[in-house]
Amino acid sequence: MKPTLPQQDLINSTHFCVLVPTYNNHKTLRKVLDSVLDFTPNIIIINDGSTDETSTILKDYSQLTQIHHAKNSGKGMALRNGFKKAIELNFEYAITIDSDGQHFATDIPNFLAEIQKQPDSLLIGSRNMTQENVPKKSSFGNKFSNFWFWFETGIKLDDTQSGFRLYPLRLIPKKYYTNKFEFEIEVIVRSAWKGILVKNIPIQILYDPAERVSHFRPFKDFTRISILNTVLVLHALLYIKPRDFVRKAKKKGFKRFFLEDILESSDSNFKKAAAIALGIFIGISPFWGFQTVLLLFFATLFKLNKVIAYLSSNVSFPPFIPFVIYGSLKMGSYFVSTDTPLVLDSSVTFDDIQKNATQYIVGSLILASVLALSIGLISYLLLTAFSSKKNK
């Protein structure tokens, strides 16, 4: 299908190329290349060590830029080498399209039209995962990926696994750590962290079980993706989110930031009180070593003010820890009996606590719940009273 005149104008005005990574997709490769050629001759093919008829097919496309890997290195490495070649050829954008025939080259102008509206964005084609022939594991994997992308970046997308994308070549990260399927997660997360707008645009999709060949290995690749997400989550919690917090505070000025984003945030009094309650609960609960991670996770999940929650969690600040432990053991003693009852006085040692671990854990969870509800309720009443007085 040839482009229309308006589409041709878009194509001529955008300095882009199309990357086609391929590995043993000889059934669909020729159809994909021919469909892309209807829109542009600027195609870079990355043959990732194919062992089928791919090399023979590619001899008929000698006019196109080709990269051949001696052995299969993974989709991530194929794309990385494709990006490098595209930058060497001075292209501004690279559109990636899978060679398994599931994408329609007729969607290429849609990417170009969107990039005119928001230059330097990273666009991901959003597929209809509910249509016929879409494997259930693909739909689940996409939802799994969407959740972690949101948690790591704060951006909600409908599709984070589609291979039909447009990348702003000069802006995306230059160095990467992954080579396989998980690369497509790494690149969008780290691009978002750099401040690049990452968004979906709708695309068509075709799942033909007779022709489509998937090289996704469920156990190995899912394990790789899980490990990557673990690393990205830790990096987000320990560096990215604190960095963004400081940047936002600096940009506004710390005084204005404190007044607007913490004390006078747009959150309702209920949500502010809920953030305080969450902080109290996490701070007292026996999740030592994981409190900050859990706090940020639940604050993000329930869309609560992270600063208020974090400040409230400092109920377990070092000077208060002995009182928290003492209160937890005392509370636990009412619900859990032990063979060696703990005497709650200044002679309590960590050995004593270890011997009464169940009593401590149960007590701390009950104490955390009671104090969280009580202080949350008091905070809500005070905030409501303060708001009413201010309005008068």
Side-chain angles (χ1 to χ4, degrees):
M1 180 179 176
K2 297 294 182 181
T4 63
L5 275 177
Q7 290 177 337
Q8 192 61 57
D9 289 339
L10 270 176
I11 292 166
N12 294 338
S13 63
T14 311
H15 198 39
F16 77 101
C17 66
V18 177
L19 304 184
V20 185
T22 187
Y23 174 63
N24 289 351
N25 281 125
H26 69 277
K27 290 182 179 179
T28 52
L29 179 59
R30 190 182 295 276
K31 180 175 67 175
V32 170
L33 293 176
D34 289 342
S35 66
V36 175
L37 280 169
D38 285 339
F39 294 87
T40 179
N42 299 326
I43 301 174
I44 300 174
I45 306 164
I46 308 96
N47 176 16
D48 190 27
S50 298
T51 56
D52 59 0
E53 299 169 24
T54 294
S55 295
T56 302
I57 293 170
L58 292 181
K59 288 177 182 178
D60 295 335
Y61 297 89
S62 58
Q63 79 277 20
L64 304 180
T65 302
Q66 299 184 17
I67 299 171
H68 293 269
H69 293 172
K71 62 178 182 179
N72 181 248
S73 302
K75 187 179 184 182
M77 185 56 71
L79 289 173
R80 288 168 61 175
N81 287 337
F83 290 157
K84 190 184 298 182
K85 175 59 71 174
I87 291 171
E88 287 175 7
L89 296 174
N90 293 315
F91 288 108
E92 186 177 3
Y93 298 104
I95 293 177
T96 61
I97 186 168
D98 292 338
S99 62
D100 59 4
Q102 67 169 294
H103 302 310
F104 291 81
T106 50
D107 280 321
I108 289 175
N110 296 333
F111 282 92
L112 303 182
E114 190 63 35
I115 209 64
Q116 301 302 319
K117 300 175 188 174
Q118 295 180 301
D120 300 330
S121 303
L122 194 164
L123 307 177
I124 304 174
S126 178
R127 303 162 294 175
N128 178 6
M129 303 299 288
T130 61
Q131 72 182 53
E132 190 179 0
N133 292 327
V134 175
K136 289 184 179 179
K137 63 181 180 181
S138 295
S139 181
F140 167 78
N142 192 48
K143 289 178 182 177
F144 178 85
S145 178
N146 294 347
F147 171 79
W148 287 114
F149 178 77
W150 163 73
F151 186 79
E152 291 150 7
T153 66
I155 301 170
K156 283 193 173 183
L157 295 180
D158 296 321
D159 193 343
T160 52
Q161 291 196 319
S162 170
F164 204 176
R165 304 178 177 190
L166 182 148
Y167 292 93
L169 291 169
R170 306 286 174 182
L171 300 180
I172 59 176
K174 300 297 183 287
K175 294 183 179 179
Y176 302 95
Y177 307 105
T178 54
N179 299 329
K180 307 292 184 181
F181 280 102
E182 69 273 16
F183 169 81
E184 290 185 300
I185 296 172
E186 180 191 357
V187 66
I188 60 173
V189 170
R190 292 182 56 208
S191 292
W193 286 347
K194 284 190 69 178
I196 298 171
L197 175 64
V198 181
K199 61 178 294 185
N200 283 138
I201 67 167
I203 59 170
Q204 305 170 75
I205 189 72
L206 172 67
Y207 275 90
D208 187 346
E211 290 192 341
R212 185 171 181 268
V213 177
S214 173
H215 301 293
F216 186 84
R217 300 161 300 177
F219 180 75
K220 284 187 177 181
D221 289 316
F222 189 78
T223 300
R224 286 176 179 274
I225 290 170
S226 297
I227 292 171
L228 173 65
N229 276 317
T230 300
V231 173
L232 293 175
V233 165
L234 290 174
H235 190 62
L237 293 175
L238 299 177
Y239 175 69
I240 298 298
K241 292 186 184 296
R243 179 204 70 181
D244 292 345
F245 173 81
V246 172
R247 284 180 178 176
K248 188 176 181 181
K250 280 184 177 180
K251 188 175 180 180
K252 275 193 172 184
F254 284 100
K255 183 178 179 180
R256 182 182 166 198
F257 177 77
F258 183 78
L259 291 173
E260 291 184 2
D261 291 74
I262 298 178
L263 297 182
E264 297 290 339
S265 71
S266 59
D267 289 342
S268 65
N269 290 333
F270 176 80
K271 293 198 78 172
K272 288 177 183 176
I276 293 171
L278 174 65
I280 296 294
F281 179 81
I282 295 294
I284 294 176
S285 297
F287 304 123
W288 304 104
F290 299 95
Q291 288 177 325
T292 301
V293 172
L294 288 170
L295 180 77
L296 291 173
F297 175 82
F298 286 111
T300 301
L301 184 64
F302 296 115
K303 298 180 180 179
L304 300 177
N305 188 304
K306 300 178 185 64
V307 177
I308 293 177
Y310 179 75
L311 292 174
S312 303
S313 72
N314 283 313
V315 67
S316 60
F317 196 69
F320 302 148
I321 289 176
F323 298 101
V324 171
I325 293 175
Y326 182 92
S328 298
L329 289 167
K330 182 70 175 176
M331 181 68 74
S333 67
Y334 295 119
F335 297 91
V336 179
S337 59
T338 62
D339 295 332
T340 53
L342 186 66
V343 178
L344 299 170
D345 58 23
S346 59
S347 66
V348 172
T349 66
F350 278 104
D351 285 338
D352 295 325
I353 296 171
Q354 285 181 328
K355 292 175 184 175
N356 294 271
T358 303
Q359 183 176 308
Y360 165 70
I361 291 171
V362 171
S364 65
L365 289 173
I366 295 172
L367 181 66
S369 300
V370 170
L371 286 179
L373 289 171
S374 301
I375 295 175
L377 177 60
I378 293 170
S379 300
Y380 175 73
L381 295 174
L382 289 174
L383 286 166
T384 302
F386 179 77
S387 298
S388 300
K389 185 177 179 181
K390 185 178 178 183
N391 291 333
K392 288 180 182 178

